[in-house]
């Protein structure tokens, strides 16, 4: 995750977040994240919440399986 840039849309404004580093505090993992609209200002994000929001499992969701039978022709 370190060094990657993510794009999110909040209130019709596109923000680009770049993960700079990772640190541990109070027994939790945090990411230092820089917003590209404000260079030089870093904000800590909880890493577990950040990972849930931006990581995908590689599985396509929203598809229903085919439960019918194929006809023999």
């Amino acid at each position: 995750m370190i060094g990657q840039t993510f794009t999110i849309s909040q209130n019709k404004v596109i923000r680009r977040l770049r993960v700079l580093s990772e640190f541990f505090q109070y027994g939790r993992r945090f990411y230092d994240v820089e917003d590209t609209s404000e260079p030089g200002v870093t904000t800590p994000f909880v890493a577990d919440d950040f990972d849930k929001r931006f990581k995908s499992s590689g599985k396509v969701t929203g598809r229903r399986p085919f439960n019918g039978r194929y006809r023999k022709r």
Side-chain angles (χ1 to χ4, degrees):
M1 294 291 285
I2 297 172
Q4 292 183 351
T5 303
F6 300 96
T7 304
I8 61 171
S9 176
Q10 286 184 334
N11 298 332
K12 298 181 182 180
V13 175
I14 296 175
R15 295 175 58 200
R16 287 179 180 77
L17 303 175
R18 183 169 179 231
V19 180
L20 298 177
S21 64
E22 176 183 22
F23 65 94
F24 290 89
Q25 187 175 10
Y26 306 117
R28 297 183 85 182
R29 208 165 43 101
F30 288 89
Y31 288 139
D32 265 335
V33 177
E34 179 185 38
D35 193 349
T36 55
S37 64
E38 300 175 13
V41 178
T42 60
T43 308
F45 277 90
V46 177
D48 295 334
D49 298 337
F50 202 80
D51 290 344
K52 283 181 193 174
R53 184 170 183 178
F54 292 109
K55 279 189 179 177
S56 65
S57 64
K59 183 178 179 183
V60 177
T61 56
R63 284 192 184 168
R64 293 174 42 199
F66 179 69
N67 292 329
R69 293 187 176 146
Y70 289 104
R71 286 188 291 163
K72 206 173 193 180
R73 295 181 183 190

